[in-house]
Amino acid sequence: AALTEGQALRDVDARLKDLFTERDGLLDKLPTRGAKTLDAIAARLAVVERLIYREDAPEAHAMIIGSRHDLCAIMARPSGPGAL
């Protein structure tokens, strides 16, 4: 049986509430220090980028995005003798 539009939206809302609850529980467990790789740092910045709303802190949000992009660009550079 097909769901009504209203029921489909209520189901999405219920799933979102569950996901936000799960996210909040996971955030408390994420380490704030001790990353062992640049990739781990980039992943943390990606999480923070989603947690800080652009509308609430546009300068901080822009700095986080820029830092993550810079870090990813540095990681993509060739390494070894002669690399810049």
Side-chain angles (χ1 to χ4, degrees):
L3 293 176
T4 66
E5 183 178 347
Q7 184 59 49
L9 291 173
R10 283 189 291 279
D11 290 349
V12 168
D13 188 52
R15 285 193 309 237
L16 284 172
K17 286 178 186 175
D18 291 342
L19 288 171
F20 286 131
T21 300
E22 182 180 346
R23 179 195 67 179
D24 292 343
L26 290 173
L27 286 176
D28 293 338
K29 297 175 186 174
L30 290 176
T32 57
R33 300 183 56 133
K36 301 215 182 330
T37 66
L38 295 177
D39 191 51
I41 295 169
R44 285 184 190 173
L45 287 170
V47 170
V48 173
E49 178 183 328
R50 289 179 187 89
L51 294 176
I52 295 179
Y53 295 110
R54 180 179 297 141
E55 298 79 19
D56 293 341
E59 296 86 2
H61 193 265
M63 187 178 295
I64 292 164
I65 290 173
S67 296
R68 187 174 61 81
H69 285 267
D70 291 346
L71 182 58
C72 290
I74 290 168
M75 291 186 323
R77 289 183 191 161
S79 60
L84 297 177

